[in-house]
Amino acid sequence: MLTVRYFAGARAAAGGVSSEQIAAGSLEELAQIVTARHGERLGLVMKSASFLVDGLTCHDRQAALPVGATVDVLPPFAGG
């Protein structure tokens, strides 16, 4: 199981859920599961989001996720 934490627009797209437990082996699998669970709006966010796995940036959506990891979903932020 993973702990998935949603921030900003990702949280809004997940219907206000801030975190949840999900069984997934990769970021790609995680994206599929949360899209099925919360809808296409979150699926679109997942396509452009950045991810932290246990606090470290992860760009490889096919890489194996460690059991018990915390995955932070960070949508693109605007600002200056």
Side-chain angles (χ1 to χ4, degrees):
M1 289 298 261
L2 307 168
T3 299
V4 181
R5 301 189 305 184
Y6 302 105
F7 293 88
R11 181 180 296 170
V17 173
S18 61
S19 69
E20 61 185 332
Q21 299 290 307
I22 295 178
S26 68
L27 291 175
E28 188 63 39
E29 183 181 5
L30 174 65
Q32 292 171 2
I33 291 168
V34 300
T35 299
R37 184 176 290 182
H38 297 288
E40 190 55 36
R41 184 172 169 211
L42 182 56
L44 292 172
V45 171
M46 296 294 283
K47 288 179 183 176
S48 61
S50 297
F51 301 94
L52 299 179
V53 177
D54 288 337
L56 300 173
T57 302
C58 182
H59 298 288
D60 184 356
R61 292 178 182 243
Q62 302 302 323
L65 295 171
V67 174
T70 296
V71 178
D72 294 330
V73 180
L74 308 169
F77 293 93

